[in-house]
């Protein structure tokens, strides 16, 4: 997720991008468009911006995130494709105001030949880490045995294979960092103008810490010195969660949104460090299992604060989308429906969102 900016069609309202897996190598990309007034009773359906026929494209091999990689002011969908055998490619679905099956035709900006790069051991997100105005792809790489690295694929206006190439800004020697215990998101958490990688780390036994890997212009493997801004040894148990970032409270720093079973939590961005520099607050109780919801964060209604957008699986091919508006000084904590599909029309379980 970018720093709360997911405006795919460039109209000033954040959108939710939805990659749909029809099965058999058939896929589509949809946009659920933001709108200025949430509670007007008018719902909007997602519209298609790309599709491929059967046998062409396997979303199950992709990890996606969103950010303005090419710097044209519209958020793009970044897709890391796993060809298997250590072969990988990074595709950009460029944000566009157009609609239809070829509107957001993806292009390749990087690839690694067989035996070189394993997307399956990576966790990705996006944000302007180096502060040049273009969103970068950030990838936590798991070397195994507690060894990890953070790669930056810098955003670029180039549209050719090799337009970007990754560099390492942080490396943890063996025995130090288990990527399997880490969940990353990106946003300018400390408010210095560059997106940071924020990582929720699960030490086990209800012990968690929120680490900040601060954005930097440096390209050296020792550029980042992670620090934590929250640590708790006995808070509550999150067996699983989804992380997103966006400036929910409108103070200029990205905040962390943590979706768990039946609820969503919120941790305010801070420039501080230590055990209590920030603290989780309950944002929304929704009674929805994490299995049945997918969230993104962005300024859906255009009021200057990021909102939480939730795609809900109602069962039987019925999908629903909710928006919970952010606001100053505190989140407003109510949700409004912006879309409800017909029966048998849309299966959220086969989607990935960004
Ligand atoms: Ca938009
Ligand atoms: Ca763009
Ligand atoms: Ca950048
Ligand atoms: Ca920052």
């Amino acid at each position: 997720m970018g720093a709360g900016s997911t405006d795919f069609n460039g109209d000033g309202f954040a959108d939710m991008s939805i990659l749909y897996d029809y099965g058999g190598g058939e896929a589509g990309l949809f946009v659920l468009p933001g709108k200025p007034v949430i509670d007007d009773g008018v719902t909007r359906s997602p519209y298609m911006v790309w599709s491929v026929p059967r046998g062409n494209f396997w979303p199950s091999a992709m990890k996606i995130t969103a950010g303005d990689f090419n710097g044209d002011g519209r958020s793009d969908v970044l897709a890391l494709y796993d060809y298997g055998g250590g072969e990988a490619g990074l595709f950009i679905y460029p944000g566009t105001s157009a609609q239809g099956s070829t509107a957001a035709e993806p292009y390749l900006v990087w690839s690694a030949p067989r035996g070189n790069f394993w997307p399956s051991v990576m966790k990705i997100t996006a944000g302007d880490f180096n502060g040049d105005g273009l969103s970068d792809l950030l990838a936590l790489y798991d070397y195994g045995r507690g060894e990890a690295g953070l790669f930056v694929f810098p955003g670029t206006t180039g549209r050719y294979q090799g337009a970007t190439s990754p560099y390492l800004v942080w490396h943890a020697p063996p025995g130090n960092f288990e990527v399997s215990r880490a969940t990353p998101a990106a946003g300018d958490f400390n408010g210095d103008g560059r997106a940071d990688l924020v990582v929720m780390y699960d030490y086990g036994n209800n012990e968690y810490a929120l680490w900040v890997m601060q954005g930097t212009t440096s390209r050296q493997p020792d550029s980042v010195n992670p620090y934590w801004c929250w640590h708790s040894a006995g808070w509550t148990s999150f067996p699983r969660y989804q992380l997103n970032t966006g400036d929910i409270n409108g103070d200029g720093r990205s905040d962390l949104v943590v979706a768990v079973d039946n609820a969503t939590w919120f941790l305010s961005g801070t420039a501080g460090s230590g055990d209590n520099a920030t603290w989780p607050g309950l944002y929304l109780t929704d009674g929805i299992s994490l299995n049945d919801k997918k969230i993104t964060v962005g300024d859906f209604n255009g009021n200057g604060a990021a909102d939480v957008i939730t795609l809900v699986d109602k069962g039987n091919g019925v999908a629903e989308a909710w928006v919970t508006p952010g606001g100053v000084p505190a989140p407003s904590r109510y949700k409004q429906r912006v879309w409800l599909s017909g029966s048998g029309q849309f299966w959220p379980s086969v989607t990935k969102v960004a």
Side-chain angles (χ1 to χ4, degrees), residues 43-69:
T43 64
R44 288 188 181 180
S45 299
Y47 61 85
M48 180 180 279
V49 290
W50 172 78
S51 71
V52 285
R54 203 170 171 80
N56 275 272
F57 208 91
W58 278 262
S60 58
M62 288 168 65
K63 293 180 176 176
I64 66 168
T65 185
D68 184 10
F69 193 79

Side-chain angles (χ1 to χ4, degrees), residues 268-291:
S268 180
T270 175
S273 62
D275 285 1
N276 304 314
T278 186
W279 195 261
L282 187 60
Y283 178 63
L284 176 72
T285 303
D286 57 23
I288 301 169
S289 154
L290 202 52
N291 284 336

Side-chain angles (χ1 to χ4, degrees), residues 34 59 162 267:
L267 288 94

Side-chain angles (χ1 to χ4, degrees), residues 7-8 67-76 92-96 107 159:
D7 181 10
F8 190 85
D68 184 10
F69 193 79
N70 60 16
D72 64 358
R74 289 185 291 260
S75 184
D76 314 305
I92 306 299
Y93 291 81
T96 174
Y107 58 89
R159 293 190 171 216

Side-chain angles (χ1 to χ4, degrees), residues 188 190 192 194 196:
D188 185 10
N190 61 11
D192 66 357
R194 290 185 289 266
D196 314 302

